Each structure stands twice: as C-alpha cells, then as structure tokens.
Amino acid sequence: MTDRIQHEKAYVDVLFDHLREEVESARRKLAEVQADVDPDNPDADALVRRETEYHALNAKLDQLGVAEIGLVFGRIDIADADADNPVPGRPDLDRRYVGRMGIDDRADHYRTLLLDWRAPQARPFYLATTAKPEGVETRSNIRMRGRTVTAVDDEVLAGTDAAATDDTAESTANVGSEAALRRAMNAARTGHMQSIVETIQREQDEIIRDATRGVMVVQGGPGTGKTAVALHRVAYLLYTWREQLSRTGVLIIGPNRTFLDYISRVLPELGETGVVLSTLERLVPGFQPTATAASESFAAREVKGSAEMANILKRAVQAYETVPADPVPLDIDGVRIEATPAMVKAARTRARRSRKPHNPARAVFAEALTQSLAQTLATRIGEDPLGGANLLSAADVDQLHDDLADHPQVLDLIDEHFPQLAPTDVLEELLTARERIAEAAGDYDEYTQQALYREPGIPFTPSDTALIDELAVLIGIVDPEEERRKEEEEWRRQVAEAEDALDILASSEATDNDDDQFEAEILSAADVIDPETLAARQQVRDIRSTAQRAAEDQAWAFGHVIVDEAQELSPMEWRMVFRRCPSRWMTLVGDTAQTSSPAGVDNWTDALEPFVAGRFRLHELSVNYRTPAEIMAVADAVLEQIGGGSKPSASIRSTGVPVAYYPQETDPAGVVRELERDDARLTAVITAENVGEMKGLEFDNVVVVEPAKIVEASPQGWQDLYVAVTRATQTLTMIGEIPL
C-alpha cells in the first residue's frame, strides 16, 4: 500500500503545482486590476471594470484556497474508447481523478488532470456499485490531510477480480464507496457537519443531479443523508447554472442557528460560498424576534401558523382604513367646508381598487379626497351671487387642490382615516388588544381569538416572523433598489440645478475688472463641486455580493431555495418562503414523521397544494447510513406509534452495542461521564426542554432523559421522541421507560 500512496502522492503533487500556478496568475491579474485606474483622472468605465474584476478575482482566489482542503478524494478506471488519460497497458480504460474543483493542463491541449465532482464525467464515481459497475473496473478512495496523501482504498467493481473482492452483503450491494462510507460513519462527530462529497451514494447522486426546474421534495427518515444531499445539490446547481444563480442567489433555510453553524463548513469545502444561510425567523430584514418558540403556547403557534391568518391580517390592515360617522368640519383660511363620510368612503374605495398595498394606496386615497375637497371649496368660494356658472376656472381649482394637499387640517384628516402603517406596529396592536382581534377575527371561534391575544410588552416570537412578512406585503415593502434610484435621481436633479446656477453666474460675471479697489467675485464650477466629489459620484458604491444584497432585500427573488426540516413549516411560513422564489425552483427536504410544529406538515400534497397544485416531484431516500441497526430497532417502534404511513429506512450499520436502559432516577451527568471517557466522542443529553434544538444534528452518543415526558410535552410528542432517539451514530442510552 505504501507504493500506492507514493504513486498517488506524485500525481497529487502535479495537481498542486498547477493549482499554485492558477493562484499566482490570479494574484498577478488582481494587482494589474488595482493599478488600472488613474486616481488623478478617474474614468467611470474603468471604475466599473475594476470593481467587477476585483471581486471576481477575489472570489476565484477564495475558491482556489478552499479547494486545497482535500483537493483530490477519488479515482476511477473506466471503460472509454476515447480515453483522455489512458491507463498504462489498457488503452480502453480512462483514468479519471475526482476532486473539489477541475484542473486542466493548458500546455497539453487542456487535457483534464482533475475532474470537478459535479462534472458529468465524474458521475460514475458515485453511481458505480458491485451490482451495477457502470463500466468502472476500479474505484479508489484517496484520503488526504492537507497536501499529504495518507491512505488509498481500492475497490474492484468489474472484471475477473470483482467477485473475489466483493464481501458486501446482498442487501447493500447497491451501496458504493464502502471503505470511505464506513470510515465516515464511524468517525467521531465534531459539532460541524461532515462533507460527504467522497461518499455520495447512487440514490443520493440521482437527487443531487435531478434536472427538475420546479419543486422537488426529498423525503427520508433519520440518517438517510437528506441534509447532505440538499447541500451538495446547491453546489451542483451553482456549478451547472452558474450564470443564472450568480445573479439571483441561492437561499438555504435551516431550523435553527445551531444547525446553520453545523453545516456552515460544508459549502466552502465544496467550493461554493455564494449562498444565503438563514432561519425562518431571520428571513425578514430588520426584524428579529427576541422570545423563543418555547415561550409561546401551542395554541398560539397553531393559530398563527394557520392559513386563516392571511385573511385575519388583511382585515387588521383594512381596519385602519376608516370612514367617519359624521361630517368632519374644516376651516380653510376662514372658509368652512366639510369632509363628508361619502367623500372619505369614495376615496377609500378608489384606493382599494388600485390594488396597491396600503401605504402606496394612501397616496391614491389622499389624491381622491383632496380632489373632492377642492371641488367643494371651489363651489363655496367661486359661487356666482347672481346664480351664474362658477367663477373659478379649472386652473383655479387645480391651484386649490395643490394648496389643500399641504394644508395641516387635510393632512390630519388623511392620517386619521388612512394612516401610514408599519408591520410591527400593526401586529403589536392586533395581538395586544382584544378589540382589534374582535375586529379582524370576530367571526372565528373563541379558541382562535384567545390564542391570538397576549399581554402588552411581551416580545415577538418566531411564529410572528411570517405574520410580519405577510403584513409587509399588505402594507408595502420598501425596495432598497428603488430607494437607491430615488437618491440618484435627487442627486442628478441637484447637479442640474447647480449647472443652471453656474450658467447664470457665468453669463453675469463682473465686467468692471478695471476697478482695482474690488476683486471680482466670480463663482466657478470648482467652487461648488470639486473633482474629488465628482469622482466619488462615479464610483460603484454597491460592491456587495449577490448573497449580501439578497439577504438585505425582503423582496429579493432567489433563483433557488433549499428548505431543510421543511416538515416544520406552517402554512403562513410556506407563504413567506414561496414569495422569495417566484420561479418555484426549490428543493424541500424533510420527514413528516419528525414534524414537531403544531401547524407543521402532515403530508406534502396538502402543504404544497396552494402553491404548486400538486405539481412537485417526490424522491424518497431509503437507506440509513448514520444510525446503527440496534438503535433503529427502538426508533422503528416509536415510528409505529406515530403512524401516518412513514416507511422505516434500512440501516446498513451495526455496532454490536445494544441500547442501554437506566432507571428514571439515574443522574444523566454520571452517564455522560462514563460515555466521555473517550474524549474524541461527542455526547448529547436530550430532554423534553431541549429536543427542539436537536433537529438536524447528530452526535456520537445520545442520552435521552425521561422519554415519557417528551411524549407528554406536546401534541407532537411521539415525533419529538423519534427525533431524539435517532440523533446517535454510535450509542443510545435511555433514562426511563418508553411508554409504548
């Protein structure tokens, strides 16, 4: 094996030489770009070009730097009549090295030295099994630490030696990369998700490369690799659809911040960093709930998550669009007129028929009401004492309209009956006032109305995020790009005015320059706008990446959205997520047997019907790579209690360590100390209080404390227990009995 390691090391050294040349070339170009603009005579085109190339080159350097982490991880010898790298003595075989990026030999007609794992030619590395070798005779898994090859595992998949080396059980004959997979599953957990790029299995690869351009659901039990599949799918899509997704961005939604920290290292290791990672409660820029989900009743979470909240919130906004019961007297410069209920109602109707959100519709309301008041005022002051036609012209009425538009009493009237709103204010006033709840939800049952109410001063909770997002749509979302355009237009207007003023000053310069007693005060352009200011206005000021801009823009339309633990989303949260992906190109990953949200998903068809009307593709992962068979025997018993038709996954691992049971009064700390004698192993204690924080995570050892309490703690208690018992990769300890 030492010779094999040395052989692969020699090849890897060649790859690193090419990688070093790429890095040096990129750095030279970066230095040239930075020196491309003359600071004394800045050119707008040159500035734009510099900024674009600067960020592109920095991104490339980042990618090249990340690729050094385990640059190569595999090799296949595959049948190919037109081999790019023929195997010595076997011209019918192509030797393909697979890694985290592609490398070509430019001096040798761009011959491929290393295949990006996402390239079509690399796919047999993942598809090949002893049952279906896909033309691969030999597959090698190459282990590296930094730039050093530490081990090589060879698998003969086809040919005369295949049967002799295949000791795989028939039930797992379709599982590839056996040695690498066993090593990854038996490795100690680190608190960060491990990349599976070298151990992707056939059923996972088919999902990762699925060409579906609509909604795709990946359903799978614990340990089937759903999250890893989703993340590798992101990397694959960014590779395949780079131009489109580099402009629109990719959004990954996880169940909690712990989970996002857990997966944060996976995407950089795959060579992709241009994505937005977020939880549901952080999806609305500028809004951050400070209370936890546990601080809110199940009834409140259920009602707030229901689809009926969209109707309730619409009514809550419309409740601010009022009509006075009686005429409102106005004193316009000594002339008394009245704003009648009919006038206000007609203006409100005009505003609502505009189909604009509340705040933009306010301008329609103000215009219609002001026009009615102008006509009323014109009738009063332009009345002909002799009974003839009104003495005011149309231009006079227009002037009255303009005067009324700025009149304090008219502005107060508009504010009273069609006020400017903010989503947080509307939601706070709705939830803390029984009168407003009755206005918006009076025809709903007492359970609904009671669940919505909370005492004033209680902070917002995660379930409020989707409601704030809905209200932002009803009220009107501020578009940061539109704000930027308005700022630019205002600047251009100021410059135009300055230029006009300079032209006037230049034409009227003092001509009595012969008078030595006075200096002519001639104002030049440089006295108003200096070259530095002009140059600053030409700079590309928004140098944020697509991901940075997308994260700060509530109305951003992402090119692709990944949702992990998607079974937890309520109908209102689905509305929030689908708004961010109008193209409906999404990958949804979850397991309905693990739903713990009271308004979560029972089945995918019902959840997605309002958005895609059943037009989605479903993949089901069937193999459990993480959880040993001994633990899955317990998990399957819990799954039977859940029901719902979820299929148990087939575990391919067995540790020989049975599940340990201790009496209910056992101290968990003592059990943990015993388990952690091996410092390299990660142990978690799961209770009824923290089980919700464990979604999507995995540990070497898990201690479940009082499973009966977990079951009793919520209506989804069995689902929570199912989550708890399937977090372990090595051992499971139960303190207390499972109430089967």
Side-chain angles (χ1 to χ4, degrees), residues 13-232:
D13 286 344
V14 172
L15 295 176
F16 273 110
D17 287 342
H18 281 270
L19 186 63
R20 187 189 68 253
E21 292 174 6
E22 288 276 343
V23 171
E24 291 175 353
S25 174
R27 285 176 177 165
R28 284 195 301 271
K29 290 179 181 177
L30 185 62
E32 293 170 4
V33 165
Q34 289 175 308
D36 188 38
V37 178
D38 181 358
D40 297 324
N41 186 26
D43 175 72
D45 290 338
L47 284 166
V48 171
R49 185 172 61 253
R50 182 186 70 177
E51 292 297 334
T52 302
E53 293 183 7
Y54 175 82
H55 291 287
L57 287 168
N58 266 317
K60 183 175 183 179
L61 285 169
D62 288 342
Q63 182 187 32
L64 293 172
V66 166
E68 291 192 28
I69 305 172
L71 176 63
V72 188
F73 53 77
R75 191 195 84 184
I76 52 175
D77 293 345
I78 184 171
D80 189 343
D82 188 22
D84 203 20
N85 296 287
V87 174
R90 291 291 305 276
D92 59 322
L93 287 182
D94 190 24
R95 177 158 291 173
R96 302 175 187 174
Y97 283 84
V98 182
R100 285 175 166 77
M101 66 172 292
I103 296 178
D104 298 327
D105 186 352
R106 298 180 181 179
D108 188 9
H109 305 287
Y110 287 87
R111 181 171 60 88
T112 301
L113 300 177
L114 180 66
L115 278 170
D116 189 300
W117 70 273
R118 296 162 292 193
Q121 295 89 340
R123 198 174 184 194
F125 179 81
Y126 300 109
L127 295 182
T129 67
T130 52
K132 298 178 181 178
E134 303 289 340
V136 176
E137 287 201 4
T138 306
R139 173 173 52 212
S140 302
N141 289 278
I142 301 170
R143 274 185 283 169
M144 297 185 63
R145 183 178 294 112
R147 296 186 172 214
T148 304
V149 177
T150 60
V152 179
D153 296 313
D154 294 327
E155 299 172 88
V156 180
L157 302 180
T160 56
D161 296 330
T165 61
D166 180 19
D167 58 357
T168 309
E170 184 179 349
S171 61
T172 59
N174 278 309
V175 175
S177 303
E178 294 271 344
L181 183 61
R182 286 196 300 270
R183 183 173 63 249
M185 290 299 99
N186 290 323
R189 304 301 99 175
T190 64
H192 288 276
M193 186 174 182
Q194 298 181 4
S195 170
I196 66 162
V197 68
E198 64 268 34
T199 61
I200 292 171
Q201 300 301 303
R202 186 186 189 99
E203 70 171 5
Q204 296 171 329
D205 185 80
E206 289 174 353
I207 297 170
I208 290 168
R209 299 174 194 262
D210 192 308
T212 298
R213 289 298 298 269
V215 172
M216 186 174 79
V217 176
V218 183
Q219 163 81 27
T224 54
K226 300 184 299 297
T227 297
V229 166
L231 297 179
H232 288 73

Side-chain angles (χ1 to χ4, degrees), residues 100 136 138 144 150 184 199 229 324 328 338 340 366-367 402 409 426 428 434 449 535-536 598 618 660 689 717 723 737:
R100 285 175 166 77
V136 176
T138 306
M144 297 185 63
T150 60
T199 61
V229 166
V328 179
E338 288 183 339
T340 67
E367 171 63 23
D402 294 345
Q409 290 187 42
V426 172
E428 178 69 19
R434 295 190 186 278
Q449 296 185 50
L618 176 66
E689 288 74 25
V723 170
E737 293 294 326

Side-chain angles (χ1 to χ4, degrees), residues 343-357:
M343 284 183 189
V344 178
K345 185 176 182 180
R348 183 182 69 175
T349 300
R350 182 76 62 86
R352 288 180 176 176
R353 284 179 178 171
S354 72
R355 304 297 183 188
K356 294 181 178 181

Side-chain angles (χ1 to χ4, degrees), residues 55 246 273-276 542-551 556:
H55 291 287
S246 65
T273 56
V275 298
V276 175
D542 194 350
I543 58 174
R544 297 170 299 166
S545 67
T546 296
Q548 289 170 325
R549 288 185 289 117
W556 189 273

